[in-house]
Amino acid sequence: MTTPPSADDDPEPSPWAPPDAPASDVPAPDAPAPGTPTPGTYTPGTYTPGAATPYPAPPFPPGPPYQEPVRRRTNQFAIFALVTGLVGMAPLAVGFAITALVQAGRRGERGHGLAAAGLAASAVWVVAAAVLLVALPFGRPGPGRADARRDGLTAIADLDVGDCFTGLTDDGAGGYRAKEQPCTRPHEGEVIARSEERYSDGSGAWAEQLCGNKTEYLQRSRYREDLEPYYAWSGDDARTLTCLMSYTGTEPLTTTLAGTVDTSLKTYDQLNVGECIDEWEQTDPFTATVSCKKPHRFQVYAKFTLRTEDSSLEYGGYPGEDALDKKAGGGCSKRADKLLREHPVDRDLQLMYVMPAEDDWYRGVHDVVCLLSPASGKLKKSLVP
């Protein structure tokens, strides 16, 4: 039997409101306070969830402590490469740039851009130098060099001192051209000397004198009778003098002219007391000495210098052949008497002497050389102790 609920147990009716009326902001008497979780109602076989209970989120793991960012260093060689490249020191700039690139890559340094800039600046300098060399006159072949390429001849002014040549020809402009040839192969001449002295007047007399002094040693060459001197002017102001020697002999010349110099050949004033001579050519300014143990015709027994302060000689100018002959003959006779008195010889001897010619005198050569020679045959030993 079911007992109906009492009136006291009935819930109090809710005030009525039309369906479209807005809900009241006042919560129901039994409604939980906002924010309070509502428990769910469980019936067998049925689960009605209420509001989910929030769970706190798990804490995040602590991160690394904050650090200031590290600034990378600039490689010093990269700076050097840039500076040297800008000022045109290309070889240094290239070396510094390569070092900078290698070091910066290994160490993690900055400076790749600076090193590259240094290389670029160096390249600009190199290109500019190449353009300048091509543009300047010495970078271009002149008319003489163009002709040389065409016919195999080179201007003498373009050869160096010591260069040998063949086929010497006049270039029609006051100079010479020839074909350069190694001195070890048969050739016909050699460039002996070059002078760029600015005080020269460009005259032939000055050129002959200077080249004569430069080639004087070749007067002792065994080919001296087959040598002909030449000179040529060159340069922008025609003040550069080139001295050359042409060889006209029939025997092949396969060495430098300096290699043909015979040290036994001497001028008369270079002879020394006691030296012996087998052949004497009056027209040859040089004579060859031989060992006094070999048969010979002449021996130097005395040598002396004529003094210009002597009252019997004219001071300053050339005294003349007669005055010199008197002084030379008297001086040699006196010295021969003394030698033979102290060291007698059991054969007839002739007295000879060589005195300076007028050209020698003005060149400052004032020596007299006295010689003894047998009246017949040859000497076989020295007469001078």
Side-chain angles (χ1 to χ4, degrees):
M1 175 177 175
T2 301
T3 302
S6 66
D8 295 336
D9 295 333
D10 290 337
E12 191 174 330
S14 300
W16 178 87
D20 55 350
S24 173
D25 293 335
V26 181
D30 294 334
T36 302
T38 304
T41 302
Y42 173 76
T43 18
T46 305
Y47 175 73
T48 304
T53 303
Y55 291 91
F60 291 100
Y66 176 77
Q67 295 181 353
E68 291 288 337
V70 179
R71 300 189 61 179
R72 293 185 300 163
R73 294 177 52 193
T74 300
N75 187 274
Q76 295 295 321
F77 284 103
I79 299 174
F80 296 157
L82 178 61
V83 174
T84 53
L86 291 176
V87 298
M89 303 171 67
L92 289 177
V94 172
F96 288 146
I98 294 175
T99 304
L101 291 174
V102 172
Q103 289 188 355
R106 290 178 179 177
R107 302 175 182 175
E109 296 177 329
R110 300 167 58 191
H112 291 81
L114 296 178
L119 289 175
S122 300
V124 172
W125 276 104
V126 172
V127 172
V131 172
L132 185 63
L133 288 175
V134 173
L136 290 179
F138 58 79
R140 300 192 304 266
R145 296 188 181 184
D147 293 343
R149 293 178 180 178
R150 188 166 53 250
D151 55 18
L153 301 181
T154 303
I156 288 295
D158 292 335
L159 296 179
D160 296 327
V161 173
D163 286 348
C164 299
F165 57 82
T166 60
L168 183 66
T169 59
D170 192 329
D171 64 2
Y176 298 95
R177 292 189 300 158
K179 181 180 179 181
E180 186 176 0
Q181 186 85 334
C183 294
T184 54
R185 298 178 59 185
H187 55 276
E188 301 171 354
E190 183 179 335
V191 178
I192 303 300
R194 180 167 289 125
S195 174
E196 296 182 0
E197 300 179 29
R198 295 298 177 182
Y199 60 80
S200 66
D201 57 3
S203 65
W206 183 88
E208 291 178 2
Q209 180 181 358
L210 189 143
C211 288
N213 294 337
K214 297 288 187 180
T215 60
E216 184 176 4
Y217 72 97
L218 292 178
Q219 293 179 5
R220 291 192 294 166
S221 169
R222 62 178 180 270
Y223 298 134
R224 61 189 181 279
E225 295 181 358
D226 299 320
L227 298 178
E228 294 183 4
Y230 287 82
Y231 65 86
W233 297 101
S234 62
D236 295 336
D237 54 359
R239 291 295 181 89
T240 301
L241 178 66
T242 300
C243 307
L244 51 148
M245 195 70 75
S246 175
Y247 172 67
T248 59
T250 57
E251 181 180 348
L253 178 61
T254 56
T255 185
T256 61
L257 289 176
T260 67
V261 172
D262 187 349
T263 56
S264 68
L265 293 176
K266 297 183 178 182
T267 59
Y268 90 92
D269 58 295
Q270 293 174 334
L271 294 172
N272 299 310
V273 174
E275 290 185 320
C276 297
I277 303 164
D278 188 40
E279 299 292 338
W280 188 288
E281 294 290 340
Q282 296 290 338
T283 58
D284 193 342
F286 290 87
T287 187
T289 59
V290 297
S291 172
C292 292
K293 296 180 180 180
K294 296 181 178 180
H296 55 278
R297 297 178 183 274
F298 310 95
Q299 184 172 13
V300 179
Y301 70 90
K303 183 178 181 180
F304 62 95
T305 301
L306 298 174
R307 305 297 179 183
T308 55
E309 62 268 17
D310 192 322
S311 59
S312 62
L313 295 177
E314 180 182 354
Y315 180 78
Y318 177 60
E321 185 175 350
D322 292 339
L324 291 180
D325 185 68
K326 183 178 180 180
K327 296 293 293 185
C332 287
S333 295
K334 184 187 302 184
R335 290 166 172 79
D337 291 341
K338 180 180 179 181
L339 172 67
L340 297 177
R341 186 170 56 252
E342 297 176 354
H343 304 280
V345 178
D346 58 353
R347 61 181 306 176
D348 295 336
L349 299 174
Q350 294 179 336
L351 172 65
M352 299 179 61
Y353 56 87
V354 184
M355 62 183 187
E358 184 173 1
D359 290 343
D360 297 326
W361 187 268
Y362 284 118
R363 287 193 302 111
V365 178
H366 300 167
D367 297 329
V368 175
V369 174
C370 307
L371 304 100
L372 287 174
S373 176
S376 61
K378 293 185 177 184
L379 298 171
K380 297 181 180 180
K381 63 180 181 178
S382 175
L383 301 176
V384 179

